[in-house]
Amino acid sequence: EAGVAQSPRYKIIEKRQSVAFWCNPISGHATLYWYQQILGQGPKLLIQFQNNGVVDDSQLPKDRFSAERLKGVDSTLKIQPAKLEDSAVYLCASSSGGDNEQFFGPGTRLTVL
Amino acid sequence: ILNVEQSPQSLHVQEGDSTNFTCSFPSSNFYALHWYRWETAKSPEALFVMTLNGDEKKKGRISATLNTKEGYSYLYIKGSQPEDSATYLCAFIRGFQKLVFGTGTRLLVSP
């Protein structure tokens, strides 16, 4: 079974630039999550999709972050414009829902200079 | 705001040592607790999903217990090996499938 795919794996940009990350979840998983993991902290949920609808985006900084999951399959997360404090690992995960385990992608390590 | 705390923050043991970590979480409205292992440069990988008070789960040399009334879970590793070196994350679910992660325990096992 193919796992959760993410790209790119690494990205270095300057502040005020834009960046986009892509995620393809495990086939058949209805629930997709984007997490931000800042060094020394646990992953923080940014947004959760159920199919192509948003379930929770309460911790998404909506002035600069946006995410979409068209057709309820793959998803993109965008930051525009980036700030220094956005430097983090961005993890995508998917699950079949409920209290089931989440399957994570390898993450994208973003460095904002 | 939910607070999930893990201790210790980091741990350095010798190969063959047994070790354990603690995850503390709010005891009200408990739904589930997850344990994940995150090795450097790899994806976090689920170890256990625990839902019932008194649950004990085991996978090889790793086991976990759950006390939902007092709000804690222990993860045990028996006879640590260098390949066990990783960050161990616990995550708490109160509802709506939203995981709240702790900051993790970084384990280093020296040969």
Side-chain angles (χ1 to χ4, degrees), chain B:
Chain B
I1 296 176
L2 297 180
N3 228 12
V4 179
E5 296 182 358
Q6 290 188 248
S7 62
Q9 270 194 332
S10 62
L11 198 53
H12 184 186
V13 301
Q14 296 298 310
E15 182 175 358
D17 288 349
S18 292
T19 186
N20 65 83
F21 326 132
T22 304
C23 173
S24 301
F25 52 86
S27 56
S28 61
N29 300 319
F30 176 86
Y31 189 74
L33 187 92
H34 293 199
W35 280 100
Y36 290 85
R37 175 171 60 199
W38 193 359
E39 294 180 63
T40 302
K42 293 188 178 178
S43 311
E45 173 195 3
L47 289 172
F48 304 114
V49 174
M50 309 181 81
T51 55
L52 298 175
N53 185 42
D55 248 357
E56 288 190 30
K57 298 218 171 178
K58 190 174 180 182
K59 187 185 284 190
R61 294 179 291 98
I62 304 176
S63 60
T65 61
L66 178 68
N67 184 322
T68 61
K69 294 187 177 174
E70 295 183 36
Y72 65 83
S73 175
Y74 294 139
L75 187 80
Y76 301 92
I77 303 178
K78 185 178 176 182
S80 303
Q81 300 296 308
E83 58 264 32
D84 296 328
S85 297
T87 295
Y88 291 82
L89 292 163
C90 72
F92 168 76
I93 301 180
R94 180 170 270 176
F96 303 110
Q97 308 162 37
K98 176 179 173 179
L99 284 181
V100 178
F101 281 88
T103 54
T105 293
R106 264 189 306 284
L107 174 68
L108 178 62
V109 183
S110 296

Side-chain angles (χ1 to χ4, degrees), chain A residues 64-113:
Chain A
R64 298 183 300 105
F65 285 64
S66 64
E68 59 183 13
R69 191 185 184 196
L70 301 176
K71 301 179 183 176
V73 181
D74 55 355
S75 176
T76 54
L77 176 70
K78 295 178 183 175
I79 307 175
Q80 180 180 6
K83 293 185 175 181
L84 297 176
E85 58 261 37
D86 298 332
S87 294
V89 175
Y90 290 84
L91 290 164
C92 178
S94 70
S95 79
S96 52
D99 59 4
N100 296 330
E101 66 184 275
Q102 296 185 11
F103 293 83
F104 285 83
T108 297
R109 183 175 296 279
L110 174 68
T111 302
V112 182
L113 302 175

Side-chain angles (χ1 to χ4, degrees), chain A residues 1-75:
Chain A
E1 176 183 85
V4 176
Q6 285 190 252
S7 66
R9 291 293 308 275
Y10 305 92
K11 190 74 178 178
I12 300 174
I13 61 173
E14 295 191 348
K15 60 183 179 184
R16 290 189 289 273
Q17 285 187 319
S18 300
V19 64
F21 313 130
W22 173 82
C23 172
N24 191 280
I26 289 175
S27 178
H29 279 188
T31 312
L32 185 147
Y33 312 81
W34 282 102
Y35 291 91
Q36 178 192 58
Q37 196 255 336
I38 293 172
L39 189 65
Q41 300 179 19
K44 180 182 86 172
L45 179 69
L46 292 176
I47 189 166
Q48 177 183 336
F49 291 96
Q50 182 76 15
N51 296 308
N52 60 348
V54 175
V55 172
D56 186 341
D57 63 357
S58 56
Q59 298 192 95
L60 186 74
K62 298 180 185 64
D63 56 336
R64 298 183 300 105
F65 285 64
S66 64
E68 59 183 13
R69 191 185 184 196
L70 301 176
K71 301 179 183 176
V73 181
D74 55 355
S75 176

